[in-house]
Structure formats: structure tokens, C-alpha cells
Amino acid sequence: MIAAVMLLLFGFAAPAQADDVSQIAKGLTNSRLYVTTDSGASLTDADKAEINSALANDGDADIRAVVVKPGHSQQALGSMLKAVGNRVGEGKTYVAIDANGREMVGVSKDLSSKEINQLIAQTSGGGIKSRLTEFGSLAEKKADDQARSSMIGAFVTLGVVILLLAAAFAAFLVVRGKRRKREEQQMAELKQGVEEDVTLLGEDIAKLDLNVMDQKLDPEIRSDYERAMNSYDEAKSATAKAAKPQDMQAVTTALEDGRYYMTATRARMAGEPVPEKRAPCFFNPNHGPSTQDVMWAPPGSTPRSVPACEADAQAVLSGGNPDIRMVPYGDGRRPYWDAGPAYGPYAGGYYSSYGGMDLLSGMMIGTMLGSMMGGWGGGYSDMGAGAGDMGGFGGDGGDVGGGWDFGSGDFGGGGDFGGF
């Protein structure tokens, strides 16, 4: 009889089994509120529905709540909320409140621990339903305020960026305009200088005035003279079409050929050996092919070997000054090697058949053109950025973290959160 009485008294009063993390997470997947089996909370179905509806309407705050039995520690509740959030995979703020409505903690990805504590403090003094609905309402207002502030900040930032871009674009236009004007001036000066070279070759051909139709004219003389005239025509045509400094290389290449064939024509007419086809005279390519190399140095620089025509070679060797090609530059004239980068292709065309830039870079040391022939080095630096893994919560236990701030109300302590 005693055993029967004991069974009746205690057999059906076994303590409720605490819900685990998986059960709570499953319950919060389709609901904003979960009441644990052992919580002892006196919430009616209508109360639960009202809380769930209120939290669901706070869409920006995106809150989920768990009602637990009293006596759990802050850390245990924080770890439980973190683990639940990891299982659910959505939601910005999770809160836990005990069945008495007195103790409340939260973890959030949007709210700082200070903000969580402030919201919890503002809801103190009420029951579970009033605290959760008020917490949701306050959190929603704060989320809206943050969104407005972010939007205002974004507009301000956008305005500043637009102003900076506009200023940069205006500066770019000014710089580009100045550069374009400078390049146009350089191109006009270059074209004037090249046209002078073309005219000089044409005048030299005209002075000789050979009749290539004359049957008595030596075929080799006729051939060299015709090549000189063809080179002149090529140079004249290329000059007319030139739109940028690089186009002038074709002009001076043709002029170099024309100058050589005029020299060959005169040698044949004088009954002299045709000279070797050497690089043009460095001091003035209009002098035609060089006859020898001489050591020469521009003012303040080191000596280097340069090809020179007979007259200029003798001038240098005797301590005199060679006849230097002076080209238009600004309001005056300068040696072509000190007249700016536009004359790079001009010089390159004259020496393209004799080592090109390799030859020129040695001859031009210490000149304006020489300083621009070193090339541009360097490549693109690798652009990379590391990014930390963007995980949600950590494991099912451990310290509260993983990007979530943790806040709590006035907590009185308690034991570990058993079932969780």
C-alpha cells in the first residue's frame, strides 16, 4: 500500500527533460518564440501567438526569443543562444528570458552589448509578454534609426565622393588640356623642322637637275638619282600624313636613304668610288652619311664616339665647333637632341638602319633625348587582400563570440544550463 501511494504521489511527477539545442533551433525555424519544456512559464497559447506575431512584425530587428526556467548563468544562456543561432542560420538578435520575466540576456549581430543592455533595462519590470514585445519594438526602432543614419551617411559619403570625382575629373581635364596643347605645340615645331629637312633634300636634288631620260646618262648614276628622288617623294608624302611624332620616323628614314643616294650620285659623276653607307652625321643628318667616328662631348657631359661627316669631323678634331642641326623650339632653336621627346622618333628614323635606339642611347648620353631613352621599368604590383572567414556562430558551446555582441540584464547567477 505504501508503495502504491508513493507511486501515485511521485511516479507521474518526474522532472521534465530539458530541451536541447537542436530542439530549440527546430522550434525557432518557423517561429519567433520558443518556450522550453522545463521553463514553467505561465503563458497561454494566445500569449505565445501574440508574442510571436509582435516579433514577426519587427522585421528589421529580426528577433527570436527563448523562454527558459530560472537559475541559469549569463554565460550558459549566451552560449545556448549562439549555438541555436548557428543551427537556425538566420536572425539578427536572439534573446533568452526566464519564466519569471526577471532575467534576460541577448546576443546580436546588429546591436552592441551596450545597446542590448540598454534595451533590456528599458523593458525591466514587466512580464514575459510585455518585456519581449517591448524589446522587439525598441529594437525595431533602433534598427530603423540605424538604417536612416546609414542612409544619410551613405548619401553624404556619395556626395563627397561625387565632389571629389568631379574635382579630380576637372583637374584631369585641365591637365589633359595643357598636355594636349603642349603636344600640339611640340608637333607643330617638329613638323616645321622635318619639313625643313625635306626641303633641303629637294633643293639638293633640284640643283643637280639630271635628266633621267637622257640615254647617254650612266645607268648607275640614273639609278641612284632616281632612288634619291623616290626617297624625297616618300619623305614628302609621309610628312603630309604625319599626325604624331612617331609618324616622323618614316620621314627621316626616307631622308637618310635620299641623302646617301645623292652622295653616291655625285661620287659616280665625279668618277670617285661610291662611299660606304654609314650612319648619318650625328651633328647634322642633313650632311649625309658620315665618313668617320670622332670623340665628342656635349657641354658638361662625358665624351662618346659619334659618326661625323668630313667637315664636322675635322672641326671636332681641330678643337672647333661642328655644324649642329638646330630645330624650332619655343621661341628659338635648339640642337635636335635637346628639343624635347617629340624629336625621339625623328632621330630614330635617321639611325634605324644602324642600331636604332641602341646606337642613339650611347650617343645621346647627357642630352634631353638621352635622358628619355632609358625606358620605363616596373610592372604591375600584385593586388590581393585577405578576408577573414565569415562564419556565423561557433560551436554549440564555448564563449559567446563569432561576431555576436553579448548583453545581459541584472543577473543573479545560477548554475550551468544543463540541457543545453
Side-chain angles (χ1 to χ4, degrees):
M1 290 179 62
I2 293 174
V5 171
M6 294 294 291
L7 179 63
L8 289 174
L9 291 175
F10 303 106
F12 301 103
Q17 182 66 34
D19 301 22
D20 61 23
V21 167
S22 296
Q23 291 173 309
I24 297 173
K26 184 177 180 181
L28 288 177
T29 300
N30 298 312
S31 176
R32 298 290 174 141
L33 175 68
Y34 186 88
V35 180
T36 60
T37 306
D38 65 344
S39 68
S42 57
L43 289 174
T44 65
D45 290 342
D47 291 335
K48 295 177 183 178
E50 186 176 342
I51 295 171
N52 188 68
S53 177
L55 294 179
N57 288 333
D58 300 327
D60 293 334
D62 200 2
I63 300 170
R64 285 162 176 74
V66 183
V67 180
V68 300
K69 71 178 181 180
H72 298 297
S73 69
Q74 296 179 23
Q75 190 62 41
L77 289 176
S79 297
M80 178 272 292
L81 291 175
K82 174 184 172 182
V84 169
N86 187 52
R87 297 291 183 94
V88 176
E90 56 186 17
K92 297 177 181 178
T93 299
Y94 280 75
V95 295
I97 186 170
D98 69 12
N100 296 326
R102 289 193 295 270
E103 311 298 351
M104 189 173 179
V105 300
V107 294
S108 177
K109 286 189 174 182
D110 278 2
L111 303 171
S112 67
S113 58
K114 180 179 179 180
E115 290 171 328
I116 295 172
N117 291 338
Q118 288 174 344
L119 296 183
I120 289 175
Q122 291 178 56
T123 65
S124 62
I128 296 175
K129 183 172 71 171
S130 65
R131 292 198 72 179
L132 289 180
T133 54
E134 188 174 0
F135 182 90
S137 177
L138 293 171
E140 181 72 7
K141 183 178 182 301
K142 183 169 286 292
D144 292 342
D145 291 343
Q146 289 176 343
R148 278 192 294 271
S149 297
S150 297
M151 184 175 295
I152 293 172
F155 280 124
V156 171
T157 302
L158 179 61
V160 172
V161 170
I162 290 174
L163 288 175
L164 290 175
L165 288 176
F169 185 66
F172 166 75
L173 291 178
V174 170
V175 171
R176 187 179 68 172
K178 291 181 178 179
R179 185 179 69 245
R180 181 174 295 174
K181 185 176 181 180
R182 182 173 64 251
E183 290 173 350
E184 288 174 352
Q185 180 181 352
Q186 290 175 347
M187 184 61 187
E189 294 169 351
L190 172 62
K191 197 158 190 175
Q192 180 184 344
V194 171
E195 286 174 344
E196 291 173 358
D197 288 3
V198 174
T199 300
L200 286 173
L201 177 60
E203 291 174 349
D204 194 23
I205 292 172
K207 284 179 184 178
L208 205 53
D209 193 23
L210 293 181
N211 182 8
V212 294
M213 302 302 292
D214 186 355
Q215 296 299 318
K216 296 179 182 180
L217 188 63
D218 183 280
E220 291 182 332
I221 294 176
R222 179 189 298 112
S223 176
D224 286 341
Y225 190 67
E226 285 180 341
R227 288 181 177 180
M229 289 192 296
N230 291 338
S231 295
Y232 167 74
D233 290 338
E234 290 176 13
K236 189 174 181 180
S237 175
T239 303
K241 296 177 182 177
K244 54 186 182 298
Q246 289 79 0
D247 298 335
M248 293 305 183
Q249 183 165 338
V251 179
T252 51
T253 298
L255 288 176
E256 187 271 325
D257 282 339
R259 282 293 174 190
Y260 171 74
Y261 288 121
M262 284 303 296
T263 301
T265 299
R266 284 195 170 87
R268 293 186 192 278
M269 291 178 66
E272 298 173 354
V274 175
E276 176 188 0
K277 195 172 189 299
R278 287 174 51 92
C281 176
F282 170 77
F283 301 104
N284 191 337
N286 289 315
H287 293 168
S290 60
T291 59
Q292 61 179 305
D293 294 341
V294 295
M295 295 302 293
W296 171 84
S301 188
T302 57
R304 78 292 314 274
S305 178
V306 296
C309 66
E310 185 64 28
D312 286 337
Q314 292 305 316
V316 172
L317 293 174
S318 63
N321 294 319
D323 178 24
I324 295 174
R325 173 71 170 107
M326 307 295 285
V327 296
Y329 185 86
D331 295 331
R333 285 183 173 265
R334 282 190 181 184
Y336 70 91
W337 55 71
D338 277 332
Y343 277 88
Y346 168 92
Y350 275 121
Y351 297 95
S352 61
S353 301
Y354 307 96
M357 289 299 173
D358 290 335
L359 175 66
L360 279 174
S361 61
M363 296 192 300
M364 297 290 182
I365 294 172
T367 68
M368 186 182 296
L369 282 185
S371 66
M372 299 173 184
M373 289 180 179
W376 292 266
Y380 294 101
S381 59
D382 292 334
M383 296 177 65
D389 292 337
M390 295 181 64
F393 302 93
D396 282 353
D399 294 337
V400 179
W404 292 75
D405 283 316
F406 172 59
S408 63
D410 225 357
F411 228 84
D416 287 338
F417 205 28
F420 298 98

